């Protein structure tokens, strides 16, 4: 029982002290530690009573008291503590000494002026708090009393010698009594001989500034040599170490002197840090503007500051501050500094939540920047939490969102499961390809399908691609027809020889008389490619198995489709942009569900007479310069039932249709030279004349009837 009351309190201490990387800090030993229950990292300042003198023990107890009671953002944060007869433990936030931090920065090329300016700003602000608000003197300011946290922010510590400027009941020994080497940091005047209460602390502040830029101070006289101190800081530094104590400025005054335009502490980094410290009380408009400007400045900020200071504020602003889409750009920029594990823990949960947002600006920013975070998303999260929200973009009334949703499928397709990829996605692609009123979106849908073809189910792929690309070749938008042709060429390995001969070649042949020359050129190239394939098998039937080896190949996994993606960039991308600019009026109308081969327009319509629908489409197309069609970073298809693939009867009917269309165009070419000067074929021109003749006859009948006048009551019509 007595052993229970006599147990060592250190064993019940809630923190584990790690023996490695211990540093000496005055009378204290600084060690790394962690909380036993959560593993949270901390720093532990230890003092052993048995190894110190009576004066040192007195200072340790005074420091324990001051650290526990003084609370300020720029003063070392107290977490926990333990005081026994044998030892004292002060647990703080994880920090390292300033000397160790600067040494590490020197190995990387040296600390930047931005980082030092903010660090000194924090120390001077903490000193001003002690002097002006708490009426205390630090009496121990120096490199050994400054610590740096994980975000690279400087914190004031070393509170061993803090005294009240109104007099203490107990006197503490000065630093030079404990360590004679510290005498060179004492001001030249005698204690209490002239000057204000802060004169000693601001003198030591000048010594700290000298050591930050020039290394350890060898002697007090070295302060006259400026060394590497920046020019903007020199006049204010000279005031700190002036021989006359009466001209040394108050710490608060020193901050103001360094903050005018062009001053050492007036830069984007300090301004951003000050805003982040007061972000909770800022107006929403100010926050929006700040986050918009932040992404431009992040490249010059220290990496650790971005990770541990900026990132938490961005996450908080999105979670509780309704910052919206404006935080996405800086968020993804900071995310580059994180490891894969940190990215999963901190950013992925936020991204998943963002996809459920109804904010259109948020959704389109996420889709545009998906390439930056897609590699961190696992398949389970994509299929259950992200894809169900993304597909709403296919039916959005905003064309830009529909376009970005289509492009995002290039990145999501490798992670989609069987149902989402081969059924849900194909259903949306089929609707876009058949009914969307924007030509570029129909074109992008076709191109996207061609690029995700390797991921489709092998049993469904051949039928999906043939029907989808065939539909694209009948689209009134020239770039969509070109995309259909190039889609066939890019996925040629997925078609059997029989399908190539019976379905693909007849479809391509109809495009050899397309009104657009670029489409005709692409069609001829594709036809030659397929004919070469058929000739190879015809000459050597044994090569059939090798040529058709990919027809029934299993769907590929992520990343395998990128090797052939260049066809869209080099072929359709330039072609599409050119065709969009030169598209004739009326060519942007959406295709019908079962639209026939597009008829050539009678001629280009002047821009000022274009219909409202065409003007809207052109205004949308102009936006493609920001997000080019078929971009290299992000480059539908209907289900089998939608395309009537099931059954031999449907296949036969489709084949007969292709034969009829092919014969019709072959007859046009041989008899009518394809097209008349007006742009119409001879058959179409004859039909047009018959229609005009019929209207003339109806008009003449109406004139004769009007000339006879109305019938009289009881009269009988004789003619």
């Amino acid at each position: 029982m007595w052993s229970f009351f006599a147990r060592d309190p250190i064993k019940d201490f809630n923190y584990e002290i790690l023996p490695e990387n211990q540093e000496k800090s005055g009378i204290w030993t600084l060690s790394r530690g962690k909380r036993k229950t959560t593993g949270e990292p901390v720093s532990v300042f230890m003092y052993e009573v048995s190894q110190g003198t009576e004066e040192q023990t007195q200072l340790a107890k005074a420091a324990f008291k001051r650290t526990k009671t003084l609370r300020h953002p720029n003063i070392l944060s107290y977490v926990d503590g333990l005081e026994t007869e044998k030892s004292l433990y002060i647990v703080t936030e994880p920090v390292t000494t300033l000397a160790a931090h600067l040494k590490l920065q020197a190995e990387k090329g040296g600390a930047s002026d931005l980082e030092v300016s903010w660090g000194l700003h924090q120390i001077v602000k903490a000193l001003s708090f002690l002097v002006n608000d708490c009426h205390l003197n630090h009496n121990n300011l120096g490199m050994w009393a400054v610590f740096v946290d994980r975000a690279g922010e400087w914190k004031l510590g070393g509170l061993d010698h803090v005294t009240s400027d109104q007099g203490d009941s107990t006197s503490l020994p000065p630093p030079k009594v404990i360590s004679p080497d510290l005498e060179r940091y004492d001001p030249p005047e005698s204690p209490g001989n002239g000057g204000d209460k802060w004169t000693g602390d601001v003198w030591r502040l000048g010594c700290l500034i000298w050591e930050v830029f020039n290394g350890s101070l060898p002697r007090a006289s070295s302060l006259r040599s400026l060394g590497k101190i920046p020019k903007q800081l020199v006049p204010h530094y000279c005031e700190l170490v002036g021989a006359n104590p009466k001209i040394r400025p108050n710490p608060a005054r020193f901050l103001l002197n360094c903050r005018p335009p062009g001053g050492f502490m007036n830069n984007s980094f300090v301004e951003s840090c000050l805003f982040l410290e007061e972000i909770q009380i800022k107006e929403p408009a100010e926050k929006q503007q700040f986050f918009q400007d932040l992404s431009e400045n992040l490249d010059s900020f220290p990496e650790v500051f971005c990770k541990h200071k900026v990132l938490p504020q961005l996450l908080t602003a999105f979670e509780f501050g309704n910052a919206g889409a404006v935080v996405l750009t800086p968020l993804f920029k900071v995310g580059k500094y994180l490891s894969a594990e940190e990215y999963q823990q901190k950013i992925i949960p936020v991204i998943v939540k963002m996809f459920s947002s109804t904010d259109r600006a948020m959704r389109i920013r996420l889709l545009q920047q998906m390439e930056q975070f897609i590699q961190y998303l696992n398949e389970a999260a994509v299929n259950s939490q992200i894809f169900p929200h993304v597909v709403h973009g296919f039916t959005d009334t905003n064309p830009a969102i529909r376009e970005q949703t289509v492009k995002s499928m290039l990145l999501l397709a490798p992670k989609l499961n069987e149902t989402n990829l081969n059924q849900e996605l194909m259903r949306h692609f089929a609707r876009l390809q058949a009914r969307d009123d924007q030509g570029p979106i129909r074109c992008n849908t076709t191109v996207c399908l061609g690029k995700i073809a390797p991921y489709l189910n092998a049993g469904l792929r051949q039928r999906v691609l043939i029907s989808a690309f065939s539909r694209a070749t009948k689209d009134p938008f020239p770039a969509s027809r070109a995309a259909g042709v190039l889609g066939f060429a890019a996925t040629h390995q997925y078609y059997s020889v029989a399908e190539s001969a019976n379905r693909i070649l007849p479809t391509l042949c109809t495009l050899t008389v397309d009104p657009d020359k670029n489409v005709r050129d692409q069609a001829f190239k594709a036809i030659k490619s397929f004919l070469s394939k058929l000739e190879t098998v015809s000459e050597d039937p044994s090569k059939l198995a090798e040529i058709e080896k990919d027809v029934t190949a299993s769907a590929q996994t992520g990343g395998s489709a990128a090797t052939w993606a260049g066809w869209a960039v080099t072929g359709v991308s330039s072609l599409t942009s050119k065709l969009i600019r030169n598209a004739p009026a009326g060519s942007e109308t959406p295709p019908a569900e079962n639209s026939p081969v597009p008829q050539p327009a009678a001629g280009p319509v002047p821009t000022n007479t274009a219909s409202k629908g065409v003007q809207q489409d052109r205004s949308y197309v102009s936006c493609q310069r920001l997000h080019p069609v078929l971009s290299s970073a992000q480059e539908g298809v209907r289900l089998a039932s939608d395309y009537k693939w099931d059954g031999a009867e449907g296949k036969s009917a489709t084949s007969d249709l292709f034969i009829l269309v092919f014969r019709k165009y072959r007859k046009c070419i041989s008899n009518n030279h394809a097209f008349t000067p007006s742009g119409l074929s001879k058959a179409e021109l004859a039909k047009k004349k018959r229609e005009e003749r019929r209207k003339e006859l109806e008009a003449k009948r109406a004139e004769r009837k009007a000339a006879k006048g109305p019938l009289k009551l009881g009269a009988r019509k004789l003619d």
Side-chain angles (χ1 to χ4, degrees):
M1 178 177 179
W2 291 107
S3 62
F4 175 79
F5 291 103
R7 64 183 180 182
D8 188 358
I10 296 179
K11 293 182 180 179
D12 298 330
F13 195 40
N14 195 28
Y15 299 89
E16 179 182 351
I17 300 173
L18 305 177
E20 68 271 12
N21 298 327
Q22 293 184 343
E23 301 177 75
K24 200 68 177 173
S25 178
I27 62 175
W28 300 89
T29 300
L30 175 59
S31 300
R32 293 172 57 248
K34 63 180 180 179
R35 191 186 293 268
K36 291 180 180 178
T37 54
T38 62
E40 177 187 359
V42 294
S43 288
V44 182
F45 290 82
M46 301 181 297
Y47 173 77
E48 298 293 340
V49 176
S50 60
Q51 298 179 4
T53 64
E54 184 177 348
E55 290 84 0
Q56 291 176 335
T57 302
Q58 182 184 6
L59 291 173
K61 292 181 178 181
F64 186 93
K65 176 184 176 182
R66 293 296 185 185
T67 305
K68 189 175 183 179
T69 56
L70 284 173
R71 298 285 180 166
H72 188 269
N74 305 127
I75 293 179
L76 194 60
S77 299
Y78 175 86
V79 176
D80 202 349
L82 177 65
E83 183 177 358
T84 67
E85 295 180 355
K86 297 180 180 179
S87 56
L88 283 85
Y89 296 89
I90 301 177
V91 182
T92 69
E93 59 185 315
V95 293
T96 185
T97 61
L98 178 60
H101 175 75
L102 292 178
K103 181 180 179 182
L104 182 62
Q105 292 297 99
E107 295 174 357
K108 298 179 181 179
S112 66
D113 285 350
L114 291 180
E115 180 182 358
V116 173
S117 66
W118 175 238
L120 290 176
H121 185 283
Q122 292 178 295
I123 297 303
V124 177
K125 196 172 181 180
L127 188 60
S128 176
F129 168 74
L130 290 178
V131 170
N132 300 310
D133 298 331
C134 302
H135 304 288
L136 298 173
N137 294 326
H138 190 277
N139 299 319
N140 190 34
L141 184 58
M143 291 280 285
W144 57 89
V146 179
F147 301 88
V148 183
D149 67 6
R150 290 182 297 178
E153 297 195 291
W154 296 10
K155 301 296 182 74
L156 181 61
L159 305 179
D160 308 19
H161 300 272
V162 172
T163 59
S164 173
D165 60 7
Q166 300 173 353
D168 277 342
S169 57
T170 57
S171 60
L172 297 175
K176 62 183 179 181
V177 173
I178 305 302
S179 178
D181 292 341
L182 300 182
E183 186 175 2
R184 63 181 182 271
Y185 298 100
D186 287 342
E189 70 275 3
S190 303
N193 185 14
D196 296 292
K197 57 185 179 181
W198 59 76
T199 56
D201 282 335
V202 296
W203 170 276
R204 295 184 181 89
L205 175 62
C207 297
L208 172 64
I209 293 175
W210 194 95
E211 289 195 324
V212 165
F213 291 102
N214 299 310
S216 180
L217 180 67
R219 63 189 68 85
S221 59
S222 300
L223 295 172
R224 300 172 184 173
S225 175
L226 299 176
K228 299 179 182 178
I229 297 176
K231 293 181 180 179
Q232 309 101 301
L233 192 57
V234 168
H236 312 300
Y237 160 78
C238 292
E239 291 180 353
L240 297 178
V241 295
N244 184 358
K246 294 183 180 181
I247 66 170
R248 295 177 197 158
N250 183 290
R253 183 64 187 173
F254 175 78
L255 273 183
L256 292 176
N257 293 341
C258 295
R259 292 278 297 147
F264 182 70
M265 295 183 185
N266 188 333
N267 52 61
S268 60
F269 187 45
V270 173
E271 296 298 329
S272 299
C273 295
L274 291 174
F275 190 95
L276 288 174
E277 287 189 344
E278 302 173 352
I279 194 170
Q280 303 301 332
I281 61 175
K282 297 293 185 179
E283 295 293 330
E286 293 179 297
K287 295 180 183 178
Q288 292 280 329
Q289 187 61 45
F290 170 75
F291 287 124
Q292 287 178 0
D293 299 337
L294 180 61
S295 59
E296 301 177 2
N297 300 323
L298 283 177
D299 293 332
S300 60
F301 290 0
E303 180 178 326
V304 292
F305 181 83
C306 294
K307 288 174 59 175
H308 300 290
K309 184 72 173 182
V310 176
L311 179 59
Q313 292 291 352
L314 291 173
L315 299 178
T316 302
F318 171 75
E319 191 77 19
F320 306 107
N322 299 321
V326 73
V327 304
L328 286 177
T329 301
L331 180 65
F332 292 136
K333 215 164 191 178
V334 174
K336 297 177 181 179
Y337 300 128
L338 303 179
S339 64
E341 183 178 356
E342 291 174 327
Y343 206 102
Q344 286 285 346
Q345 293 176 351
K346 298 180 179 180
I347 296 186
I348 291 302
V350 177
I351 290 176
V352 171
K353 186 174 181 179
M354 285 178 177
F355 272 107
S356 63
S357 172
T358 56
D359 182 6
R360 278 179 166 173
M362 174 78 72
R363 288 161 57 192
I364 198 166
R365 291 270 187 95
L366 281 170
L367 295 174
Q368 289 171 349
Q369 303 186 49
M370 185 180 290
E371 194 171 11
Q372 300 188 36
F373 58 83
I374 186 66
Q375 66 268 27
Y376 300 105
L377 296 174
N378 57 55
E379 294 183 4
V382 168
N383 286 282
S384 63
Q385 296 175 282
I386 293 179
F387 184 75
H389 296 294
V390 172
V391 292
H392 293 311
F394 289 124
T395 56
D396 199 284
T397 56
N398 189 330
I401 292 181
R402 297 202 303 274
E403 181 201 25
Q404 289 299 330
T405 304
V406 170
K407 291 181 179 181
S408 69
M409 292 302 111
L410 290 174
L411 302 171
L412 290 177
K415 297 179 180 289
L416 294 180
N417 57 30
E418 180 82 10
T419 302
N420 286 337
L421 178 62
N422 295 286
Q423 296 181 23
E424 185 71 11
L425 180 59
M426 296 299 102
R427 180 173 63 85
H428 287 288
F429 269 21
R431 188 192 58 78
L432 287 176
Q433 194 185 32
R435 300 188 183 97
D436 199 283
D437 61 349
Q438 301 291 340
I441 293 179
R442 302 196 300 271
C443 175
N444 274 357
T445 303
T446 303
V447 173
C448 182
L449 177 63
K451 287 197 169 188
I452 67 174
Y455 309 119
L456 297 177
N457 181 278
L460 184 69
R461 180 169 51 210
Q462 182 175 206
R463 293 177 295 167
V464 166
L465 297 180
I466 292 177
S467 294
F469 293 148
S470 297
R471 177 181 292 275
T473 61
K474 301 174 180 63
D475 195 289
F477 187 53
S480 294
R481 301 198 295 274
V485 175
L486 291 170
F488 275 129
T491 57
H492 66 90
Q493 71 270 29
Y494 299 124
Y495 311 122
S496 65
V497 171
E499 293 290 341
S500 299
N502 296 331
R503 300 185 64 185
I504 299 176
L505 278 174
T507 300
L508 293 175
C509 287
T510 62
L511 295 177
T512 58
V513 292
D514 192 272
D516 191 281
K517 186 178 186 305
N518 289 310
V519 177
R520 298 197 299 271
D521 292 344
Q522 296 294 340
F524 281 118
K525 292 179 182 178
I527 290 171
K528 292 177 182 178
S529 174
F530 279 98
L531 285 177
S532 175
K533 181 178 178 179
L534 295 178
E535 289 175 355
T536 301
V537 176
S538 176
E539 294 177 0
D540 188 358
S542 63
K543 293 183 179 181
L544 178 63
E546 180 182 355
I547 289 178
E548 294 186 349
K549 65 179 180 179
D550 291 331
V551 174
T552 58
S554 301
Q556 301 177 8
T557 56
S560 56
T563 55
W564 56 266
W567 70 272
V569 181
T570 58
V572 179
S573 183
S574 58
L575 176 62
T576 302
S577 59
K578 181 176 180 180
L579 291 175
I580 288 173
R581 291 193 297 269
N582 301 328
S587 65
E588 308 293 344
T589 55
E593 181 66 26
N594 293 298
S595 58
V597 177
Q599 303 299 334
V605 180
T607 305
N608 57 355
T609 62
S611 65
K612 180 179 179 182
V614 175
Q615 290 175 355
Q616 290 177 346
D617 198 39
R618 286 182 175 174
S619 66
Y620 167 67
V621 169
S622 65
C623 299
Q624 304 304 310
R625 296 171 185 172
L626 296 178
H627 311 291
V629 179
L630 317 171
S631 65
S632 59
Q634 292 182 320
E635 303 271 292
V637 183
R638 304 189 65 185
L639 294 175
S641 58
D642 296 326
Y643 281 110
K644 301 180 181 180
W645 289 329
D646 297 329
E649 183 179 351
K651 181 177 180 181
S652 176
T654 305
S655 300
D656 292 342
L657 175 62
F658 287 138
I659 293 172
L660 289 174
V661 172
F662 181 74
R663 287 175 179 173
K664 173 185 174 183
Y665 273 88
R666 185 174 60 183
K667 186 176 180 181
C668 277
I669 296 172
S670 60
N671 297 335
N672 303 322
H673 303 288
F675 297 104
T676 63
S678 63
L680 296 175
S681 65
K682 289 293 184 75
E684 291 168 343
L685 187 60
K687 182 179 178 181
K688 184 177 179 181
K689 288 182 178 180
R690 287 196 300 272
E691 185 67 21
E692 292 175 351
R693 178 62 178 165
R694 184 181 63 80
K695 291 181 179 179
E696 290 177 2
L697 292 175
E698 290 179 352
K700 288 180 179 180
R701 289 195 192 101
E703 290 175 1
R704 287 200 302 268
K705 194 174 293 185
K708 292 179 181 179
L711 293 176
K712 295 181 179 180
L713 184 64
R716 187 177 59 176
K717 183 178 180 182
L718 299 177
D719 52 347

